[in-house]
Amino acid sequence: MRNGRFITFEGGEGAGKSTQIRRLAAALRAAHAREVVTTREPGGTPLAERLRAIILAGKARDLGDFGEALLFSAARIDHIDRIIRPALARGAYVLCDRFADSTRAYQGARGGAGENMLTTLERVTLDGVRPDLTFILDLPPEVGLARAEKRRGQGGIDRFEGEAVAFHAVLREKFLEIARAEPERCRVIDAVKPEEDVAEAIFSACREKWPHTSTEEKKWA
Ligand code: TYD
C-alpha cells in the first residue's frame, strides 16, 4: 500500500535544500489536506541519527567509500522502515533532505566503490521505496562551499565539507548524470538563483506532476 508522494532534495553543499524543504512543506500544508512529513538523511530516526554522528565526525572514514556506503544504507533501512514507508502508506507527502542519490554521488565520486556494487546496494536497501520526484539543486561548488562556510560560522567542518573543491566538482557531475539517466524522476533546479525563484521552480514542478488530484485537496495557491 503506497498512496503517498515521496519527494527528495539532492545537491552539493550549501545548495539551500533545507530552506526549500521548509518552503515546500509550508506550501503543501496550506494547499492540501494531506499530511506532510519532513525528514533528512543520514538521520530521521534515533538510530540513524547516531550513525549520522559517527559518519559526519569522520569516524568511519577508514572503512573506505563502500564501507561508508554500507553505513549510510544501514541508517536508510531504519529510516525507511520506521518513517518513510509508514508515512507513504498513510498517504502523506514525505519531503526528504538527501536520499539514495547522495550515496551514488558522494560514495561513488572517487570510483572506488564501483557503480555495480552501489546499484545493487541501492536496490536491496530501498526495497522498492523510490522517490516519485527528486529535485537536484545545482550550483558551482565554489558558490555552495562559500555559502556552507558562511552558514557554519564558528562551527567545525564536517566529513564531506572538508573534501577538496575537485571532489565537489565531481559530485556535481554525478548528480547531473543521475538526472540525465532518470529524467522522469529528476528535475535539475538552478540553485544560484534567488531563493524565491528556486521555490517557484519547485512548486511549479510539483503542480505539473500532481495537478490537484482529488476534491479533498484544495487548489495550489
Ligand atoms: P548535512 O549536514 O546534512 O549536509 P548538507 O547540509 O549538505 O545536506 O550532512 C550530510 C553529509 O553527508 C553531506 O556532506 C552529504 C553526505 N552524505 C553522503 O555522503 N552519503 C549519503 O548517502 C548521504 C545521505 C549523505
Side-chain angles (χ1 to χ4, degrees):
M1 267 285 280
R2 183 190 191 297
N3 306 316
R5 293 162 181 183
F6 187 19
I7 308 176
T8 58
F9 290 72
E10 299 278 6
E13 313 290 326
K17 290 181 281 81
S18 39
T19 306
Q20 293 300 332
I21 289 175
R22 260 197 314 277
R23 293 186 70 125
L24 182 62
L28 291 172
R29 286 188 180 116
H32 289 251
R34 281 174 188 267
E35 178 191 1
V36 179
V37 172
T38 61
T39 187
R40 70 165 180 186
E41 287 211 348
T45 68
L47 176 55
E49 292 288 338
R50 287 208 293 281
L51 289 170
R52 174 191 176 93
I54 292 170
I55 304 167
L56 296 191
K59 291 179 187 160
R61 187 195 305 252
D62 290 350
L63 292 176
D65 287 326
F66 192 65
E68 282 187 318
L70 289 174
L71 283 188
F72 279 112
S73 301
R76 183 162 302 132
I77 286 170
D78 195 49
H79 190 207
I80 289 173
D81 284 351
R82 291 174 198 282
I83 304 291
I84 299 174
R85 198 191 318 242
L88 293 174
R90 293 195 301 274
Y93 277 102
V94 177
L95 312 189
C96 190
D97 189 339
R98 297 195 182 282
F99 193 61
D101 296 324
S102 280
T103 307
R104 280 200 231 173
Y106 279 77
Q107 281 62 58
R110 274 177 288 252
E115 232 164 85
N116 288 343
M117 292 221 294
L118 287 175
T119 304
T120 306
L121 178 62
E122 179 179 300
R123 198 175 60 245
V124 294
T125 302
L126 302 196
D127 191 24
V129 177
R130 291 185 178 274
D132 298 300
L133 197 54
T134 295
F135 292 108
I136 293 178
L137 303 193
D138 177 60
L139 80 180
E142 303 78 21
V143 178
L145 289 168
R147 280 193 198 168
E149 190 180 335
K150 209 164 139 204
R151 176 186 66 191
R152 198 166 52 237
Q154 299 302 313
I157 199 159
D158 79 25
R159 161 81 181 83
F160 298 98
E161 283 167 355
E163 294 282 351
V165 172
F167 173 81
H168 292 278
V170 176
L171 274 185
R172 184 186 193 191
E173 263 321 300
K174 287 268 170 200
F175 280 121
L176 294 175
E177 244 173 57
I178 292 170
R180 279 194 296 273
E182 293 182 63
E184 269 298 299
R185 170 173 72 89
C186 300
R187 303 284 182 280
V188 177
I189 307 281
D190 179 358
V192 177
K193 291 208 167 122
E195 185 185 313
E196 265 320 299
D197 298 4
V198 174
E200 187 43 46
I202 290 172
F203 297 160
S204 68
C206 289
R207 272 195 300 263
E208 193 185 304
K209 176 123 186 134
W210 296 294
H212 57 104
T213 46
S214 79
T215 48
E216 124 243 25
E217 289 175 343
K218 293 175 257 161
K219 271 198 179 145
W220 288 78

